[in-house]
Amino acid sequence: MKMDRVQNGTLNVEQVRADFPVLQREVRPGVPLVYLDSAATSQKPLEVIQAMDAYYRSSNANIHRGIHTLAEEATYLYEEARSKVAAFIGAASPKQVIYTRNCTEAINLVAYTWGRKFLQAGDVIILTEMEHHANLVPWQILAEERGVQLEFIPVTADGMLDLEAYKKLLEKEPKLVAFAHMSNVLGTINPAKEIIRLAHQAGALALVDAAQSVPHMPVNVQDLDADFLAFSAHKMCGPTGIGALYGRKEILEAMPVFMGGGDMIKKVHLRSFTPNELPYKFEAGTPAIAEAVGFGAAVDYLKKIGIEAIGAHEHQIVAYALERLEEVPGLKVLGPSADNRGGVVAFSFGVAHPHDISQILDSEGIAIRAGHHCAMPLHDKFHLAATARASFYLYNTHQEVDRLVEGLYKVREIFGS
Ligand code: 7TS
């Protein structure tokens, strides 16, 4: 398969597109879909859909319980997928990969368990001004409850983190530095390895919100030396309803349990319980089994295509998009140049509200996202209530960027912006 979809490290996008059933559809008769909203959720290749379908058709059972053929198959598939996900991010052991509902739940798990056990009033957590609410609100809740102090690495006018300011903040001896590997608005790829190195030097742990990086670039938790790393399957060709938290083993072991119930215990008495081993300790109740199977299939798919080739393709598309969008009068792109950016372009456009832009583009079959993209403080920083955002993945083409630009000229005609 690798042969026909990738040639000399370059994606054959037409071949790739054929793997995604939804990309064949027309939004309305004669209007083909241009899907530019993969930062919200990616489309799913047939292999993922089929893996989940096959699971339900032939192996559906609850896991870790029954000693019957189907239960054993389901358990095997669920754990096999965990091993695939662990290998994909370079984790030393699958035991360090905890299934969660999504990236949001993974970060909340850390805030609720590690945060509540190890942090006290006055302790400092460093975040950044470009965080998604998923890596902001859980810490705000903790701050309110425990008197933990939040500090923020500033974002510069061109959408980069101010690392000099970060170094100053580290003098406050934080307990945790939690940051987005890639911004879902600015597209900025942050220097994760350096941020983590500096955090460790200052005695802090580091949590990487990798929701926008794991789907698009090689991410290796051991190379990064991350203490925690969180991401969602649905942004990486997998299903909704499942994500993962990677954690350093000794930290996960020291953390108290998250939710209570079946599977997360070794023993239960009427008034007490003994927690299970990793990773089950953090997985209470019947999990998303079919979704785990789909998650594993998504990793297989990305590996077959090659994450480097995917990243290189997106880099080309985003560089082309930046070049084409610059031509459109009145349009202002947020964030850095293509060199420091993944496949996300958010912009404002004169008098046209992002919702109107999105609606007009939708009439042309073009799906983008409009709003604050769950990053309100970042929008406040740039004095914007909302932006329009196009985001790209392995299946997007240069022609689709052209369609976007044509659509924006139509917006301009209507609004005279
Ligand atoms: N972190 C970042 C950087 C994100 O972009 C997102 C989702 C999340 C965390 C949360 O992921 P979830 O799967 O738990 O929801 N970002 C977006 C987006 O940009 N548009 O829709 C969801």
Side-chain angles (χ1 to χ4, degrees):
M1 171 179 154
K2 195 160 185 168
M3 286 313 290
D4 54 350
R5 284 162 181 77
V6 183
Q7 281 135 9
N8 303 324
T10 305
L11 292 194
N12 180 338
V13 185
E14 285 316 310
Q15 291 277 351
V16 168
R17 288 178 71 80
D19 294 334
F20 291 81
V22 78
L23 299 180
Q24 327 301 322
R25 83 162 268 189
E26 294 181 336
V27 178
R28 274 171 294 286
V31 183
L33 170 68
V34 174
Y35 189 75
L36 303 182
D37 199 16
S38 294
T41 197
S42 73
Q43 293 302 346
K44 321 303 174 200
L46 192 58
E47 283 175 38
V48 169
I49 299 166
Q50 282 174 337
M52 295 175 75
D53 183 72
Y55 165 76
Y56 276 128
R57 282 175 191 273
S58 63
S59 307
N60 176 57
N62 212 329
I63 56 159
H64 300 147
R65 297 157 203 230
I67 303 179
H68 59 75
T69 304
L70 263 58
E72 281 171 5
E73 276 178 24
T75 304
Y76 176 81
L77 291 167
Y78 180 78
E79 292 304 334
E80 185 193 37
R82 192 196 308 273
S83 299
K84 289 176 184 178
V85 173
F88 191 63
I89 57 162
S93 160
K95 292 189 167 99
Q96 292 170 265
V97 172
I98 295 142
Y99 285 131
T100 59
R101 268 193 314 136
N102 45 38
C103 179
T104 302
E105 190 177 271
I107 296 169
N108 273 277
L109 193 162
V110 178
Y112 276 89
T113 64
W114 179 84
R116 275 159 183 74
K117 173 143 183 189
F118 294 107
L119 298 186
Q120 300 164 10
D123 282 345
V124 172
I125 296 177
I126 297 183
L127 306 169
T128 86
E129 287 180 342
M130 64 168 80
E131 293 315 305
H132 185 281
H133 298 164
N135 194 31
L136 176 58
V137 181
W139 307 116
Q140 290 177 344
I141 296 170
L142 188 67
E144 210 165 283
E145 200 182 299
R146 291 290 160 98
V148 167
Q149 194 187 325
L150 305 182
E151 298 290 345
F152 298 90
I153 308 174
V155 171
T156 63
D158 59 350
M160 307 284 283
L161 288 180
D162 181 342
L163 293 182
E164 289 312 310
Y166 173 45
K167 287 176 193 161
K168 273 247 155 314
L169 285 174
L170 286 172
E171 290 169 12
K172 293 180 186 276
E173 298 181 359
K175 292 284 194 307
L176 178 74
V177 177
F179 65 98
H181 199 173
M182 175 178 142
S183 161
N184 67 322
V185 177
L186 303 167
T188 317
I189 297 171
N190 290 317
K193 204 169 167 173
E194 177 67 0
I195 293 171
I196 294 169
R197 191 185 65 78
L198 291 168
H200 287 165
Q201 218 172 53
L205 297 186
L207 179 149
V208 184
D209 172 353
Q212 299 291 352
S213 60
V214 167
H216 304 282
M217 66 180 92
V219 172
N220 183 303
V221 288
Q222 293 188 72
D223 179 53
L224 286 176
D225 205 16
D227 300 296
F228 298 109
L229 187 124
F231 55 107
S232 287
H234 71 92
K235 294 188 201 287
M236 50 190 289
C237 295
T240 53
I242 193 160
L245 173 70
Y246 161 84
R248 199 183 288 284
K249 188 160 168 276
E250 52 287 8
I251 302 172
L252 291 175
E253 275 169 351
M255 274 156 57
V257 299
F258 184 31
M259 284 187 274
D263 249 23
M264 51 68 71
I265 44 80
K266 210 179 257 166
K267 268 191 189 159
V268 183
H269 305 287
L270 277 181
R271 296 184 195 282
S272 64
F273 70 92
T274 317
N276 208 337
E277 287 161 11
L278 288 177
Y280 313 113
K281 166 179 166 183
F282 296 110
E283 293 178 5
T286 300
I289 307 167
E291 288 75 6
V293 173
F295 198 175
V299 164
D300 283 344
Y301 181 78
L302 294 177
K303 274 178 73 175
K304 270 194 262 185
I305 304 278
I307 196 76
E308 285 90 356
I310 292 170
H313 172 72
E314 288 173 25
H315 190 75
Q316 272 187 15
I317 296 284
V318 84
Y320 181 64
L322 289 177
E323 195 185 302
R324 293 279 347 250
L325 289 171
E326 212 167 274
E327 296 166 15
V328 183
L331 192 145
K332 207 172 159 305
V333 170
L334 270 72
S337 67
D339 296 345
N340 292 305
R341 187 196 280 265
V344 166
V345 182
F347 55 87
S348 59
F349 193 17
V351 293
H353 189 277
H355 287 133
D356 295 322
I357 299 172
S358 183
Q359 205 167 357
I360 295 165
L361 291 177
D362 182 59
S363 69
E364 305 288 312
I366 304 164
I368 63 154
R369 187 169 173 193
H372 51 66
H373 320 297
C374 300
M376 286 176 96
L378 181 69
H379 281 77
D380 288 345
K381 168 112 189 172
F382 288 100
H383 308 292
L384 294 164
T387 52
R389 181 189 72 185
S391 54
F392 308 105
Y393 208 7
L394 71 165
Y395 36 66
N396 290 118
T397 65
H398 287 73
Q399 289 84 340
E400 288 181 314
V401 173
D402 293 337
R403 293 263 317 270
L404 170 68
V405 172
E406 282 161 30
L408 290 168
Y409 274 105
K410 193 170 167 193
V411 172
R412 192 164 175 264
E413 249 172 61
I414 293 168
F415 282 88
S417 56

